[in-house]
Short mmCIF file of all heavy atoms in Angstrom, two decimals:
data_model
loop_
_atom_site.label_atom_id
_atom_site.label_comp_id
_atom_site.label_asym_id
_atom_site.label_seq_id
_atom_site.Cartn_x
_atom_site.Cartn_y
_atom_site.Cartn_z
N THR O 827 84.44 82.89 113.28
CA THR O 827 85.84 83.28 113.19
C THR O 827 86.54 83.13 114.53
O THR O 827 87.66 82.61 114.61
CB THR O 827 85.95 84.73 112.70
OG1 THR O 827 85.31 84.86 111.44
CG2 THR O 827 87.41 85.14 112.55
N LEU O 828 85.88 83.58 115.59
CA LEU O 828 86.48 83.47 116.93
C LEU O 828 86.73 82.01 117.32
O LEU O 828 87.73 81.69 117.97
CB LEU O 828 85.57 84.13 117.95
CG LEU O 828 85.71 85.64 118.11
CD1 LEU O 828 84.71 86.16 119.12
CD2 LEU O 828 87.12 86.01 118.52
N ILE O 829 85.82 81.14 116.91
CA ILE O 829 86.01 79.72 117.22
C ILE O 829 87.28 79.19 116.58
O ILE O 829 88.08 78.49 117.22
CB ILE O 829 84.78 78.90 116.75
CG1 ILE O 829 83.58 79.23 117.64
CG2 ILE O 829 85.08 77.41 116.80
CD1 ILE O 829 82.29 78.59 117.19
N TRP O 830 87.51 79.55 115.32
CA TRP O 830 88.73 79.11 114.64
C TRP O 830 89.96 79.70 115.30
O TRP O 830 90.95 79.00 115.53
CB TRP O 830 88.67 79.54 113.16
CG TRP O 830 87.89 78.60 112.30
CD1 TRP O 830 86.65 78.81 111.78
CD2 TRP O 830 88.30 77.31 111.84
NE1 TRP O 830 86.25 77.74 111.03
CE2 TRP O 830 87.25 76.81 111.05
CE3 TRP O 830 89.44 76.54 112.01
CZ2 TRP O 830 87.32 75.55 110.44
CZ3 TRP O 830 89.51 75.30 111.40
CH2 TRP O 830 88.46 74.81 110.63
N VAL O 831 89.93 80.98 115.58
CA VAL O 831 91.10 81.67 116.14
C VAL O 831 91.48 81.10 117.50
O VAL O 831 92.67 80.98 117.84
CB VAL O 831 90.83 83.19 116.23
CG1 VAL O 831 91.90 83.88 117.05
CG2 VAL O 831 90.75 83.79 114.83
N ILE O 832 90.50 80.73 118.30
CA ILE O 832 90.77 80.19 119.63
C ILE O 832 91.04 78.68 119.59
O ILE O 832 91.95 78.17 120.26
CB ILE O 832 89.59 80.49 120.59
CG1 ILE O 832 89.45 82.00 120.78
CG2 ILE O 832 89.78 79.79 121.92
CD1 ILE O 832 88.22 82.42 121.54
N ALA O 833 90.27 77.96 118.77
CA ALA O 833 90.33 76.50 118.80
C ALA O 833 91.61 75.94 118.21
O ALA O 833 92.17 74.98 118.75
CB ALA O 833 89.12 75.92 118.06
N VAL O 834 92.09 76.52 117.12
CA VAL O 834 93.27 75.95 116.46
C VAL O 834 94.50 75.97 117.37
O VAL O 834 95.14 74.92 117.58
CB VAL O 834 93.55 76.67 115.12
CG1 VAL O 834 94.90 76.25 114.54
CG2 VAL O 834 92.44 76.36 114.12
N PRO O 835 94.91 77.11 117.96
CA PRO O 835 96.06 77.07 118.87
C PRO O 835 95.81 76.19 120.09
O PRO O 835 96.74 75.51 120.56
CB PRO O 835 96.25 78.54 119.28
CG PRO O 835 95.56 79.33 118.24
CD PRO O 835 94.40 78.49 117.79
N LEU O 836 94.57 76.19 120.60
CA LEU O 836 94.27 75.39 121.78
C LEU O 836 94.41 73.91 121.48
O LEU O 836 95.00 73.14 122.27
CB LEU O 836 92.86 75.71 122.27
CG LEU O 836 92.40 74.99 123.54
CD1 LEU O 836 93.32 75.36 124.71
CD2 LEU O 836 90.95 75.34 123.86
N ILE O 837 93.88 73.48 120.34
CA ILE O 837 93.97 72.06 119.98
C ILE O 837 95.42 71.65 119.76
O ILE O 837 95.85 70.58 120.20
CB ILE O 837 93.13 71.79 118.71
CG1 ILE O 837 91.64 71.92 119.03
CG2 ILE O 837 93.44 70.41 118.14
CD1 ILE O 837 90.75 71.86 117.83
N VAL O 838 96.20 72.50 119.11
CA VAL O 838 97.61 72.19 118.89
C VAL O 838 98.37 72.12 120.21
O VAL O 838 99.21 71.23 120.41
CB VAL O 838 98.24 73.23 117.94
CG1 VAL O 838 99.76 73.09 117.91
CG2 VAL O 838 97.69 73.06 116.54
N ALA O 839 98.07 73.04 121.13
CA ALA O 839 98.72 73.01 122.44
C ALA O 839 98.42 71.70 123.17
O ALA O 839 99.30 71.09 123.78
CB ALA O 839 98.28 74.21 123.27
N VAL O 840 97.16 71.27 123.11
CA VAL O 840 96.79 70.00 123.75
C VAL O 840 97.49 68.83 123.07
O VAL O 840 97.99 67.90 123.74
CB VAL O 840 95.26 69.82 123.71
CG1 VAL O 840 94.87 68.41 124.18
CG2 VAL O 840 94.58 70.87 124.58
N MET O 841 97.56 68.85 121.73
CA MET O 841 98.24 67.78 121.00
C MET O 841 99.70 67.68 121.41
O MET O 841 100.23 66.58 121.61
CB MET O 841 98.13 68.04 119.49
CG MET O 841 96.74 67.87 118.91
SD MET O 841 96.62 68.45 117.19
CE MET O 841 97.76 67.33 116.36
N ARG O 842 100.35 68.81 121.54
CA ARG O 842 101.78 68.81 121.87
C ARG O 842 102.05 68.51 123.34
O ARG O 842 102.91 67.68 123.67
CB ARG O 842 102.39 70.16 121.51
CG ARG O 842 102.53 70.41 120.03
CD ARG O 842 103.67 69.62 119.44
NE ARG O 842 104.98 70.20 119.79
CZ ARG O 842 106.13 69.58 119.62
NH1 ARG O 842 106.16 68.36 119.13
NH2 ARG O 842 107.27 70.17 119.94
N LEU O 843 101.33 69.20 124.23
CA LEU O 843 101.65 69.11 125.65
C LEU O 843 101.03 67.90 126.33
O LEU O 843 101.64 67.29 127.21
CB LEU O 843 101.19 70.39 126.35
CG LEU O 843 101.82 71.69 125.82
CD1 LEU O 843 101.25 72.90 126.54
CD2 LEU O 843 103.33 71.66 125.96
N ALA O 844 99.80 67.55 125.94
CA ALA O 844 99.11 66.45 126.61
C ALA O 844 99.36 65.09 125.96
O ALA O 844 99.44 64.08 126.65
CB ALA O 844 97.61 66.74 126.67
N PHE O 845 99.46 65.09 124.63
CA PHE O 845 99.57 63.82 123.93
C PHE O 845 100.93 63.62 123.26
O PHE O 845 101.19 62.57 122.68
CB PHE O 845 98.46 63.70 122.88
CG PHE O 845 97.09 63.68 123.46
CD1 PHE O 845 96.32 64.83 123.49
CD2 PHE O 845 96.56 62.52 124.01
CE1 PHE O 845 95.04 64.82 124.04
CE2 PHE O 845 95.29 62.51 124.55
CZ PHE O 845 94.53 63.66 124.58
N GLY O 846 101.80 64.61 123.31
CA GLY O 846 103.14 64.46 122.76
C GLY O 846 103.20 64.25 121.26
O GLY O 846 104.10 63.56 120.76
N VAL O 847 102.25 64.81 120.53
CA VAL O 847 102.27 64.69 119.07
C VAL O 847 103.52 65.37 118.55
O VAL O 847 103.82 66.52 118.93
CB VAL O 847 101.01 65.32 118.46
CG1 VAL O 847 101.05 65.26 116.94
CG2 VAL O 847 99.76 64.62 119.00
N PRO O 848 104.28 64.72 117.68
CA PRO O 848 105.55 65.31 117.23
C PRO O 848 105.38 66.57 116.41
O PRO O 848 104.33 66.82 115.82
CB PRO O 848 106.19 64.19 116.40
CG PRO O 848 105.07 63.29 116.02
CD PRO O 848 104.07 63.37 117.12
N ARG O 849 106.43 67.35 116.39
CA ARG O 849 106.45 68.62 115.67
C ARG O 849 106.11 68.44 114.20
O ARG O 849 105.40 69.24 113.60
CB ARG O 849 107.84 69.24 115.85
CG ARG O 849 108.10 70.48 115.01
CD ARG O 849 109.03 70.21 113.87
NE ARG O 849 109.55 71.43 113.29
CZ ARG O 849 109.89 71.53 112.00
NH1 ARG O 849 109.77 70.51 111.20
NH2 ARG O 849 110.38 72.68 111.54
N GLU O 850 106.61 67.36 113.59
CA GLU O 850 106.39 67.13 112.16
C GLU O 850 104.91 66.99 111.84
O GLU O 850 104.40 67.59 110.89
CB GLU O 850 107.13 65.86 111.74
CG GLU O 850 107.04 65.53 110.26
CD GLU O 850 107.88 66.45 109.39
OE1 GLU O 850 108.83 67.06 109.92
OE2 GLU O 850 107.59 66.54 108.19
N ALA O 851 104.18 66.20 112.65
CA ALA O 851 102.76 65.98 112.39
C ALA O 851 101.95 67.26 112.56
O ALA O 851 101.05 67.55 111.76
CB ALA O 851 102.24 64.89 113.33
N VAL O 852 102.28 68.03 113.60
CA VAL O 852 101.56 69.28 113.82
C VAL O 852 101.84 70.27 112.70
O VAL O 852 100.93 70.94 112.19
CB VAL O 852 101.95 69.88 115.19
CG1 VAL O 852 101.33 71.27 115.35
CG2 VAL O 852 101.51 68.97 116.32
N GLY O 853 103.11 70.36 112.29
CA GLY O 853 103.46 71.26 111.19
C GLY O 853 102.76 70.90 109.90
O GLY O 853 102.28 71.77 109.16
#
Side-chain angles (χ1 to χ4, degrees):
T827 302
L828 276 178
I829 290 175
W830 278 106
V831 169
I832 296 172
V834 171
L836 182 61
I837 291 172
V838 169
V840 171
M841 290 170 64
R842 288 285 285 167
L843 301 177
F845 296 99
V847 177
R849 173 253 195 209
E850 183 73 21
V852 173

